[in-house]
Amino acid sequence: MRISQKLQDEIRAHAERDHPAEACGVLIKTAKGREYVPCGNLATTPREHFQIDHRDMAQAEDRGEVLAIIHSHPDKAPTPSMADRVSCELHELPWGIVGWPGGDIEWFAPTGFSAPLLGRDFSHGLLDCWSACRDWYGREAGLQLPNFERADLWWEQKDGPSLYEDNFKSTGFYQVSEPRRGDMLVLQIPKPGRECYFPNHAVIYLGDEPALLSESAPVLGGSGPFIYHHMPGRLASREIYGWSMANRVKLILRHKDYKP
């Protein structure tokens, strides 16, 4: 996308002001021309992620047509991450990334990208355990499951919602006592030294057949059963379903429309 030097300077100045956090904003089209609108970053980890303040976004949309989403990569190149590419597809808008320091700006647009099941990067709310389960059901079983807005560390909010327990019935799941391939297991995994009030991690039980229909990749060694899941700070993977995982299971859920 070609933009004026003035707009480029405004984007770079915003990245410099917010450094070392990620700056974010939008490019809009008004009656007077294109404008860059800086927005607040509501992410709980603003040095690593961004979440545009919905109030700032609403004000920008009231002023004009949103043409592009902009954010910075502090102390990194402006190369789009896997999460950036997935989010770009969801917004259906071009994205611009500015690397700061340096000020290089890279643009990219939706191309139909979808993250692979195996080896995907972790980004809570976008590429996380629920996203992995949703995509597994979509690609392996043709089931389209809804998404849920979820704040980071929602399971540490004692008076907050228990997202898996509150929503599994309305999503088409019911509880069973023993797992079979394609069931979703919901575990409670606290961070060391922190409270965890609700089951907070979902995995797909693969049984003794770890192969994925939609992706051909080497199968892990060892004997099953296996699970497919995505843990924070790690790439999505298949692993042996061992005692440490089984001991944390709170729900064994089967979807009414899944046929192994």
Side-chain angles (χ1 to χ4, degrees):
M1 177 179 289
R2 290 182 175 273
I3 60 174
S4 68
Q5 187 63 50
K6 176 177 180 294
L7 290 174
Q8 293 181 49
D9 291 343
E10 290 176 359
I11 291 170
R12 293 184 178 108
H14 186 200
E16 182 179 18
R17 287 196 305 273
D18 284 12
H19 186 273
E22 291 196 10
C24 56
V26 292
L27 186 69
I28 64 172
K29 180 181 179 181
T30 71
K32 296 180 179 180
R34 294 179 176 182
E35 297 181 25
Y36 173 65
V37 181
C39 298
N41 182 355
L42 297 181
T44 56
T45 53
R47 293 190 179 198
E48 302 168 5
H49 306 96
F50 79 97
Q51 179 185 346
I52 292 180
D53 189 320
H54 58 279
R55 296 161 296 188
D56 294 340
M57 176 63 88
Q59 290 177 3
E61 291 173 334
D62 288 341
R63 291 178 52 197
E65 177 190 359
V66 177
L67 300 177
I69 307 291
I70 314 292
H71 78 287
S72 67
H73 278 185
D75 304 308
K76 291 188 295 185
T79 305
S81 66
M82 189 179 293
D84 289 334
R85 296 178 67 188
V86 170
S87 194
C88 178
E89 297 294 332
L90 294 175
H91 282 94
E92 299 181 329
L93 287 170
W95 273 38
I97 303 176
V98 54
W100 193 265
D104 291 338
I105 300 176
E106 182 168 333
W107 296 92
F108 62 105
T111 59
F113 174 80
S114 60
L117 290 179
L118 297 171
R120 60 172 61 187
D121 297 327
F122 188 92
S123 178
H124 186 266
L126 187 66
L127 292 171
D128 55 18
C129 64
W130 175 239
S131 301
C133 290
R134 287 181 64 241
D135 288 349
W136 188 91
Y137 281 112
R139 299 177 198 180
E140 300 286 303
L143 298 178
Q144 301 304 312
L145 302 184
N147 205 357
F148 300 101
E149 184 175 348
R150 47 202 183 274
D152 196 15
L153 302 177
W154 57 265
W155 52 90
E156 295 184 3
Q157 308 305 314
K158 187 175 183 179
D159 298 324
S162 179
L163 294 182
Y164 287 107
E165 293 176 305
D166 293 348
N167 293 295
F168 76 83
K169 291 182 181 178
S170 63
T171 312
F173 289 93
Y174 60 95
Q175 286 187 257
V176 295
S177 58
E178 295 293 333
R180 73 182 187 197
R181 181 178 173 85
D183 288 345
M184 185 169 70
L185 313 181
V186 184
L187 295 70
Q188 191 158 334
I189 304 179
K191 289 188 174 182
R194 303 181 66 150
E195 297 288 353
C196 182
Y197 295 103
F198 309 112
N200 62 338
H201 184 59
V203 313
I204 300 295
Y205 183 80
L206 298 175
D208 293 329
E209 300 178 13
L212 302 181
L213 298 175
S214 58
E215 293 182 23
S216 57
V219 176
L220 297 175
S223 58
F226 295 88
I227 56 170
Y228 165 68
H229 70 143
H230 200 174
M231 290 283 284
R234 294 165 52 184
L235 302 180
S237 64
R238 292 168 300 196
E239 295 181 8
I240 293 176
Y241 178 55
W243 178 88
S244 61
M245 279 284 186
N247 195 46
R248 299 180 183 277
V249 171
K250 300 299 181 182
L251 298 169
I252 303 175
L253 303 176
R254 183 165 297 160
H255 198 277
K256 62 182 179 61
D257 295 327
Y258 176 68
K259 302 295 187 294

